[in-house]
Short mmCIF file of all heavy atoms in Angstrom, two decimals:
data_model
loop_
_atom_site.label_atom_id
_atom_site.label_comp_id
_atom_site.label_asym_id
_atom_site.label_seq_id
_atom_site.Cartn_x
_atom_site.Cartn_y
_atom_site.Cartn_z
N LYS A 254 0.83 -1.20 0.00
CA LYS A 254 0.00 0.00 0.00
C LYS A 254 0.86 1.26 0.00
O LYS A 254 0.56 2.23 -0.69
CB LYS A 254 -0.94 0.00 1.21
CG LYS A 254 -2.09 -0.98 1.08
CD LYS A 254 -3.15 -0.74 2.11
CE LYS A 254 -2.81 -1.33 3.44
NZ LYS A 254 -3.87 -1.19 4.44
N PHE A 255 1.96 1.22 0.76
CA PHE A 255 2.85 2.38 0.81
C PHE A 255 3.52 2.61 -0.53
O PHE A 255 3.62 3.74 -1.01
CB PHE A 255 3.89 2.18 1.91
CG PHE A 255 4.77 3.37 2.11
CD1 PHE A 255 4.30 4.46 2.82
CD2 PHE A 255 6.04 3.41 1.59
CE1 PHE A 255 5.09 5.57 3.01
CE2 PHE A 255 6.84 4.51 1.77
CZ PHE A 255 6.37 5.59 2.48
N LYS A 256 3.97 1.53 -1.16
CA LYS A 256 4.60 1.66 -2.47
C LYS A 256 3.62 2.19 -3.50
O LYS A 256 3.99 2.98 -4.37
CB LYS A 256 5.15 0.31 -2.93
CG LYS A 256 6.38 -0.14 -2.20
CD LYS A 256 6.77 -1.49 -2.70
CE LYS A 256 7.90 -2.08 -1.92
NZ LYS A 256 8.26 -3.42 -2.42
N LEU A 257 2.38 1.75 -3.43
CA LEU A 257 1.36 2.23 -4.36
C LEU A 257 1.11 3.72 -4.17
O LEU A 257 0.98 4.46 -5.14
CB LEU A 257 0.06 1.45 -4.16
CG LEU A 257 -1.09 1.80 -5.07
CD1 LEU A 257 -0.74 1.45 -6.51
CD2 LEU A 257 -2.35 1.07 -4.64
N ALA A 258 1.09 4.17 -2.93
CA ALA A 258 0.86 5.59 -2.66
C ALA A 258 2.02 6.45 -3.15
O ALA A 258 1.82 7.59 -3.55
CB ALA A 258 0.66 5.81 -1.16
N TYR A 259 3.23 5.91 -3.13
CA TYR A 259 4.40 6.69 -3.53
C TYR A 259 4.98 6.23 -4.87
O TYR A 259 6.17 6.34 -5.10
CB TYR A 259 5.46 6.64 -2.43
CG TYR A 259 5.10 7.54 -1.29
CD1 TYR A 259 4.58 7.03 -0.12
CD2 TYR A 259 5.24 8.90 -1.41
CE1 TYR A 259 4.23 7.85 0.92
CE2 TYR A 259 4.89 9.75 -0.38
CZ TYR A 259 4.38 9.22 0.78
OH TYR A 259 4.01 10.05 1.80
N GLY A 260 4.17 5.72 -5.73
CA GLY A 260 4.57 5.47 -7.10
C GLY A 260 5.46 4.28 -7.34
O GLY A 260 6.25 4.27 -8.27
N GLY A 261 5.39 3.26 -6.52
CA GLY A 261 6.16 2.05 -6.76
C GLY A 261 7.61 2.15 -6.35
O GLY A 261 8.51 1.84 -7.13
N LEU A 262 7.85 2.58 -5.14
CA LEU A 262 9.23 2.65 -4.64
C LEU A 262 9.81 1.25 -4.53
O LEU A 262 9.09 0.28 -4.31
CB LEU A 262 9.25 3.30 -3.25
CG LEU A 262 8.98 4.78 -3.21
CD1 LEU A 262 8.86 5.23 -1.76
CD2 LEU A 262 10.08 5.55 -3.88
N LEU A 263 11.09 1.16 -4.64
CA LEU A 263 11.77 -0.13 -4.52
C LEU A 263 11.99 -0.47 -3.06
O LEU A 263 12.03 0.40 -2.19
CB LEU A 263 13.12 -0.06 -5.24
CG LEU A 263 13.09 0.19 -6.73
CD1 LEU A 263 14.50 0.37 -7.25
CD2 LEU A 263 12.39 -0.93 -7.45
N ASN A 264 12.16 -1.77 -2.78
CA ASN A 264 12.48 -2.20 -1.42
C ASN A 264 13.80 -1.62 -0.96
O ASN A 264 13.98 -1.33 0.22
CB ASN A 264 12.53 -3.72 -1.35
CG ASN A 264 11.17 -4.34 -1.30
OD1 ASN A 264 10.21 -3.69 -0.90
ND2 ASN A 264 11.07 -5.59 -1.71
N LYS A 265 14.74 -1.45 -1.89
CA LYS A 265 16.04 -0.88 -1.53
C LYS A 265 15.90 0.51 -0.94
O LYS A 265 16.60 0.86 0.01
CB LYS A 265 16.95 -0.79 -2.77
CG LYS A 265 17.63 -2.06 -3.14
CD LYS A 265 18.58 -1.78 -4.29
CE LYS A 265 19.26 -3.05 -4.73
NZ LYS A 265 20.17 -2.79 -5.85
N THR A 266 15.01 1.32 -1.49
CA THR A 266 14.81 2.67 -1.00
C THR A 266 14.33 2.65 0.44
O THR A 266 14.84 3.41 1.28
CB THR A 266 13.79 3.42 -1.88
OG1 THR A 266 14.18 3.29 -3.24
CG2 THR A 266 13.71 4.87 -1.51
N LEU A 267 13.38 1.79 0.72
CA LEU A 267 12.88 1.68 2.10
C LEU A 267 13.95 1.15 3.04
O LEU A 267 14.12 1.65 4.15
CB LEU A 267 11.66 0.75 2.14
CG LEU A 267 10.39 1.27 1.48
CD1 LEU A 267 9.35 0.17 1.43
CD2 LEU A 267 9.87 2.47 2.21
N GLU A 268 14.70 0.14 2.60
CA GLU A 268 15.73 -0.45 3.45
C GLU A 268 16.86 0.53 3.74
O GLU A 268 17.36 0.60 4.87
CB GLU A 268 16.29 -1.71 2.79
CG GLU A 268 15.32 -2.86 2.81
CD GLU A 268 15.81 -4.07 2.06
OE1 GLU A 268 17.00 -4.09 1.66
OE2 GLU A 268 15.02 -5.00 1.87
N ILE A 269 17.26 1.32 2.76
CA ILE A 269 18.33 2.30 2.97
C ILE A 269 17.90 3.33 4.00
O ILE A 269 18.67 3.70 4.88
CB ILE A 269 18.72 2.97 1.63
CG1 ILE A 269 19.47 1.98 0.76
CG2 ILE A 269 19.55 4.22 1.86
CD1 ILE A 269 19.69 2.44 -0.66
N LEU A 270 16.66 3.78 3.90
CA LEU A 270 16.16 4.76 4.86
C LEU A 270 16.17 4.20 6.27
O LEU A 270 16.63 4.86 7.21
CB LEU A 270 14.74 5.19 4.49
CG LEU A 270 14.05 6.04 5.53
CD1 LEU A 270 14.66 7.42 5.58
CD2 LEU A 270 12.58 6.11 5.24
N PHE A 271 15.71 2.98 6.44
CA PHE A 271 15.63 2.40 7.78
C PHE A 271 16.99 2.03 8.33
O PHE A 271 17.22 2.11 9.53
CB PHE A 271 14.72 1.19 7.79
CG PHE A 271 13.27 1.56 7.76
CD1 PHE A 271 12.52 1.33 6.63
CD2 PHE A 271 12.68 2.14 8.85
CE1 PHE A 271 11.19 1.68 6.60
CE2 PHE A 271 11.35 2.49 8.83
CZ PHE A 271 10.61 2.26 7.70
N LYS A 272 17.90 1.60 7.49
CA LYS A 272 19.22 1.22 7.98
C LYS A 272 19.99 2.43 8.50
O LYS A 272 20.79 2.31 9.41
CB LYS A 272 20.02 0.52 6.89
CG LYS A 272 19.60 -0.92 6.70
CD LYS A 272 20.45 -1.61 5.66
CE LYS A 272 19.96 -3.03 5.46
NZ LYS A 272 20.73 -3.74 4.45
N LYS A 273 19.74 3.60 7.91
CA LYS A 273 20.45 4.80 8.35
C LYS A 273 20.05 5.19 9.77
O LYS A 273 20.88 5.49 10.60
CB LYS A 273 20.16 5.97 7.40
CG LYS A 273 20.93 5.88 6.11
CD LYS A 273 20.65 7.08 5.26
CE LYS A 273 21.39 6.97 3.93
NZ LYS A 273 21.07 8.09 3.05
N ASN A 274 18.77 5.22 10.04
CA ASN A 274 18.30 5.65 11.36
C ASN A 274 17.01 4.94 11.75
O ASN A 274 15.98 5.56 11.86
CB ASN A 274 18.11 7.17 11.38
CG ASN A 274 17.29 7.66 10.22
OD1 ASN A 274 16.80 6.88 9.42
ND2 ASN A 274 17.12 8.95 10.12
N PHE A 275 17.09 3.64 11.94
CA PHE A 275 15.87 2.89 12.23
C PHE A 275 15.41 3.05 13.67
O PHE A 275 14.26 2.81 13.98
CB PHE A 275 16.03 1.40 11.90
CG PHE A 275 16.93 0.64 12.84
CD1 PHE A 275 16.39 -0.03 13.91
CD2 PHE A 275 18.29 0.60 12.64
CE1 PHE A 275 17.20 -0.73 14.77
CE2 PHE A 275 19.10 -0.09 13.48
CZ PHE A 275 18.57 -0.76 14.57
N LYS A 276 16.28 3.47 14.59
CA LYS A 276 15.86 3.61 15.99
C LYS A 276 15.15 4.92 16.23
O LYS A 276 14.24 5.01 17.04
CB LYS A 276 17.08 3.52 16.91
CG LYS A 276 17.69 2.14 16.99
CD LYS A 276 18.87 2.13 17.91
CE LYS A 276 19.50 0.75 17.94
NZ LYS A 276 20.71 0.71 18.75
N THR A 277 15.57 5.98 15.56
CA THR A 277 15.06 7.31 15.87
C THR A 277 13.94 7.78 14.96
O THR A 277 13.38 8.84 15.20
CB THR A 277 16.21 8.34 15.76
OG1 THR A 277 16.72 8.31 14.42
CG2 THR A 277 17.31 8.03 16.75
N ILE A 278 13.61 7.02 13.93
CA ILE A 278 12.62 7.51 12.97
C ILE A 278 11.21 7.42 13.55
O ILE A 278 10.83 6.44 14.17
CB ILE A 278 12.74 6.75 11.64
CG1 ILE A 278 12.07 7.51 10.54
CG2 ILE A 278 12.21 5.35 11.74
CD1 ILE A 278 12.51 7.10 9.17
N SER A 279 10.45 8.50 13.37
CA SER A 279 9.06 8.53 13.82
C SER A 279 8.16 8.57 12.59
O SER A 279 8.62 8.71 11.47
CB SER A 279 8.81 9.76 14.69
OG SER A 279 8.94 10.93 13.91
N GLN A 280 6.87 8.47 12.84
CA GLN A 280 5.92 8.43 11.74
C GLN A 280 5.93 9.72 10.94
O GLN A 280 5.94 9.71 9.72
CB GLN A 280 4.53 8.15 12.31
CG GLN A 280 3.45 7.99 11.27
CD GLN A 280 2.14 7.62 11.87
OE1 GLN A 280 2.04 7.35 13.06
NE2 GLN A 280 1.11 7.63 11.07
N ILE A 281 5.99 10.84 11.62
CA ILE A 281 5.96 12.13 10.93
C ILE A 281 7.27 12.38 10.19
O ILE A 281 7.28 12.84 9.05
CB ILE A 281 5.66 13.26 11.94
CG1 ILE A 281 4.24 13.08 12.45
CG2 ILE A 281 5.87 14.62 11.33
CD1 ILE A 281 3.83 13.97 13.56
N LYS A 282 8.40 12.04 10.81
CA LYS A 282 9.69 12.20 10.15
C LYS A 282 9.77 11.30 8.92
O LYS A 282 10.30 11.70 7.88
CB LYS A 282 10.82 11.86 11.12
CG LYS A 282 12.20 12.10 10.57
CD LYS A 282 13.26 11.78 11.60
CE LYS A 282 14.64 11.92 11.00
NZ LYS A 282 15.68 11.51 11.94
N PHE A 283 9.24 10.10 9.02
CA PHE A 283 9.20 9.16 7.92
C PHE A 283 8.45 9.75 6.72
O PHE A 283 8.93 9.72 5.59
CB PHE A 283 8.54 7.88 8.41
CG PHE A 283 8.42 6.79 7.39
CD1 PHE A 283 9.53 6.07 7.01
CD2 PHE A 283 7.21 6.48 6.83
CE1 PHE A 283 9.44 5.06 6.09
CE2 PHE A 283 7.10 5.46 5.91
CZ PHE A 283 8.22 4.76 5.54
N LEU A 284 7.28 10.33 6.98
CA LEU A 284 6.50 10.93 5.90
C LEU A 284 7.18 12.17 5.33
O LEU A 284 7.15 12.40 4.13
CB LEU A 284 5.10 11.28 6.39
CG LEU A 284 4.16 10.11 6.55
CD1 LEU A 284 2.85 10.56 7.14
CD2 LEU A 284 3.94 9.42 5.23
N LYS A 285 7.82 12.96 6.21
CA LYS A 285 8.50 14.18 5.74
C LYS A 285 9.65 13.83 4.81
O LYS A 285 9.88 14.54 3.82
CB LYS A 285 9.02 14.98 6.93
CG LYS A 285 7.94 15.77 7.62
CD LYS A 285 8.54 16.61 8.72
CE LYS A 285 7.47 17.41 9.43
NZ LYS A 285 8.02 18.25 10.48
N ILE A 286 10.37 12.76 5.10
CA ILE A 286 11.48 12.36 4.23
C ILE A 286 10.96 12.00 2.84
O ILE A 286 11.51 12.44 1.83
CB ILE A 286 12.24 11.17 4.86
CG1 ILE A 286 13.01 11.65 6.08
CG2 ILE A 286 13.18 10.53 3.85
CD1 ILE A 286 13.61 10.53 6.90
N PHE A 287 9.90 11.25 2.78
CA PHE A 287 9.39 10.85 1.47
C PHE A 287 8.70 12.00 0.74
O PHE A 287 8.80 12.10 -0.48
CB PHE A 287 8.45 9.65 1.59
CG PHE A 287 9.20 8.37 1.67
CD1 PHE A 287 9.47 7.79 2.89
CD2 PHE A 287 9.65 7.75 0.54
CE1 PHE A 287 10.19 6.62 2.96
CE2 PHE A 287 10.36 6.58 0.60
CZ PHE A 287 10.63 6.02 1.81
N GLU A 288 7.98 12.83 1.46
CA GLU A 288 7.28 13.93 0.80
C GLU A 288 8.23 15.01 0.29
O GLU A 288 7.86 15.78 -0.58
CB GLU A 288 6.27 14.56 1.77
CG GLU A 288 5.07 13.69 2.07
CD GLU A 288 4.13 13.54 0.89
OE1 GLU A 288 4.02 14.46 0.07
OE2 GLU A 288 3.51 12.48 0.80
N SER A 289 9.44 15.07 0.81
CA SER A 289 10.38 16.10 0.37
C SER A 289 11.33 15.61 -0.72
O SER A 289 12.17 16.38 -1.16
CB SER A 289 11.16 16.64 1.55
OG SER A 289 11.91 15.62 2.15
N ARG A 290 11.21 14.38 -1.16
CA ARG A 290 12.04 13.90 -2.27
C ARG A 290 11.54 14.49 -3.58
O ARG A 290 10.35 14.69 -3.78
CB ARG A 290 11.99 12.38 -2.36
CG ARG A 290 12.79 11.65 -1.31
CD ARG A 290 12.57 10.17 -1.41
NE ARG A 290 12.84 9.66 -2.74
CZ ARG A 290 13.81 8.79 -3.02
NH1 ARG A 290 14.59 8.35 -2.06
NH2 ARG A 290 13.99 8.36 -4.24
N LEU A 291 12.46 14.76 -4.51
CA LEU A 291 12.09 15.39 -5.78
C LEU A 291 11.21 14.49 -6.63
O LEU A 291 10.17 14.93 -7.14
CB LEU A 291 13.36 15.77 -6.56
CG LEU A 291 13.15 16.41 -7.92
CD1 LEU A 291 12.42 17.73 -7.78
CD2 LEU A 291 14.48 16.61 -8.62
N ASP A 292 11.55 13.22 -6.75
CA ASP A 292 10.77 12.33 -7.60
C ASP A 292 9.36 12.11 -7.05
O ASP A 292 8.38 12.11 -7.79
CB ASP A 292 11.48 11.00 -7.83
CG ASP A 292 11.84 10.27 -6.55
OD1 ASP A 292 11.78 10.88 -5.47
OD2 ASP A 292 12.21 9.08 -6.64
#
């Protein structure tokens, strides 16, 4: 459902985001990161 909402993101994109800061990420920060990407 998340990939469908954001145009078919790859699993790699999600994994890279979580590996960088998986302990500190919150729901709002998570959405802000994706909403501020150019693509």
Side-chain angles (χ1 to χ4, degrees):
K254 287 193 279 184
F255 185 78
K256 287 178 186 179
L257 181 65
Y259 284 103
L262 288 173
L263 298 174
N264 282 337
K265 279 185 182 180
T266 309
L267 291 172
E268 288 175 9
I269 288 170
L270 171 71
F271 283 109
K272 283 183 182 179
K273 284 182 182 176
N274 50 4
F275 72 94
K276 290 181 182 175
T277 60
I278 198 161
S279 66
Q280 184 176 352
I281 293 172
K282 184 178 176 185
F283 180 74
L284 285 176
K285 283 184 180 181
I286 289 170
F287 278 97
E288 289 289 330
S289 62
R290 285 175 54 116
L291 179 62
D292 56 347

